[in-house]
Every structure is written in structure tokens, then in C-alpha cells.
Amino acid sequence: MDQIELLAASRDILGKKVRFLRRQGLIPANLYGHNVKSTALQIEPSQLKHTLSQAGKSSLIALNIDGAKRPRMVIIRDIQREPLSGKIIHIDLYQVKMEEKIRLEVPLLFVGEAPVIKERGGILVQNMSSLEIECLPANMPHNIEVDLSGLTEIDQAVHVKDLRVDEDVTILTDPEQSIVQIARSRVEVEIAEGV
């Protein structure tokens, strides 16, 4: 996969004055990390939108500040949005050390179709949308696949322990936790109760 890049500039506008920055169409950001001095940044919205569409919150990003020769490797830690419009108003970036393991939430990607839904009218109940993992930044998966094609019976489930991930990735979420399960359709339950 190609390296995902993000351009940023240092900013002097701090505190409540960042509203002036937002009026100029820029998004305030903070960069921090383990043994890294916190740095105030500003990012162009179009640049950030493009990067987010590629990286999400679980991919390494090469952050270039003020045209530096070497980018800093970061992940997105937090995105603050305006409640009504959903517009991004602030972003936190975490600088990783490539030789230190990190913990992060990785989204689940559901693949395949559960035969029991078509054949027996079951309903797929999703209990989780992400997992907490630990790994070196270079081994960070963009997502973890959950295969639904093995779900052939009502009440069958896929648990965290059923997932297959790279040996360099440790899943920290409880292995007994159910990710998805097949429930009886409401119509089937009502017919059974009415008999």
C-alpha cells in the first residue's frame, strides 16, 4: 500500500483564538506522542478530507510539517466535530515510534453472506464494530475481516476468538465476546408464541 501523506503547518494561534483560524477555513490540530513535545498545527480541510478517506483512524500517516525533509509517522487519535453539521473542528495526531508497540481500535470489515439469513430468514445482530489491538506501527492492519459465510444456523455467532489475524498483532478485546450472531426473525418468534 502506498504511503498516506498529510501536509500541515505550525500555528501560533492558540486557545479560544482558534475560532479565527476556523473562519479562515483551516482546521486546528495538535501533535503529541511518547517523549514528543506537543505541537500546535493547522491543516487545510481538503487535504485532511483526502487523508481521512484513505487512512481512517487505523493507518499510519506520513505527516509533513512546514516542508520538513523527513515526515513524522502518526495515527489519528481523535477527531472533534461540530454536533449539528458534523464538520471537523479539531484533530489530534499521535506520533508513533516504529520500534514501540501501540494500542488502538481497528474497525471490523464484514465479508461474505450468512446463508441462514436467506435460507431460514434469520436476522444478523452486530454487537461490535471495532476491536482493540496491540502491535508495532508497521504491522497495523487497516481493518480486521469477519467472515459471515460460516453462519448457517439460528443462534450461531462469531466470537473474537474465531478471528484470524497476523501473528504480529495481539487482540486485546475479550476473546469470548460475540461480534455477530444470528437471531430468529420477529415473524418467526410471533408465530411460535401464537401456536
Side-chain angles (χ1 to χ4, degrees), residues 26-43:
L26 298 169
I27 297 172
N30 276 359
L31 171 68
Y32 64 96
H34 182 65
N35 293 329
V36 175
K37 184 181 173 202
S38 182
T39 307
L41 304 171
Q42 61 191 33
I43 302 170

Side-chain angles (χ1 to χ4, degrees), residues 61-166:
I61 299 168
L63 178 69
N64 191 317
I65 303 171
D66 296 324
K69 289 185 179 169
R70 286 190 53 197
R72 299 177 186 214
M73 299 311 290
V74 301
I75 58 172
I76 295 170
R77 270 294 155 132
D78 188 39
I79 299 173
Q80 294 174 22
R81 296 181 183 271
E82 205 171 69
L84 296 176
S85 69
K87 184 178 170 185
I88 296 174
I89 56 173
H90 191 274
I91 188 161
D92 285 335
L93 302 167
Y94 182 82
Q95 184 172 335
V96 299
K97 294 191 184 293
M98 297 305 283
E99 63 282 351
E100 281 184 17
K101 288 187 175 184
I102 58 170
R103 290 180 172 206
L104 71 154
E105 289 278 323
V106 176
L108 295 171
L109 176 65
F110 298 94
V111 296
E113 283 187 38
V116 69
I117 293 175
K118 277 187 177 179
E119 295 166 10
R120 302 194 39 210
I123 297 174
L124 185 72
V125 179
Q126 181 182 331
N127 301 320
M128 303 172 73
S129 59
S130 63
L131 293 178
E132 186 180 9
I133 65 163
E134 183 179 61
C135 64
L136 290 172
N139 300 328
M140 210 167 44
H142 188 65
N143 55 47
I144 295 175
E145 287 190 358
V146 179
D147 186 9
L148 303 176
S149 61
L151 298 172
T152 57
E153 300 293 325
I154 300 290
D155 296 329
Q156 199 174 3
V158 176
H159 296 86
V160 172
K161 65 183 177 186
D162 300 328
L163 298 179
R164 300 287 162 247
V165 293
D166 198 18

Side-chain angles (χ1 to χ4, degrees), residues 1-7 46-62 76 79 107 140-143:
M1 186 176 176
D2 293 336
Q3 192 172 53
I4 301 167
E5 296 181 352
L6 178 62
L7 302 175
S46 60
Q47 174 80 39
L48 182 60
K49 187 176 180 181
H50 177 71
T51 301
L52 283 175
S53 70
Q54 292 180 300
K57 288 179 84 174
S58 61
S59 290
L60 277 179
I61 299 168
I76 295 170
I79 299 173
M140 210 167 44
H142 188 65
N143 55 47

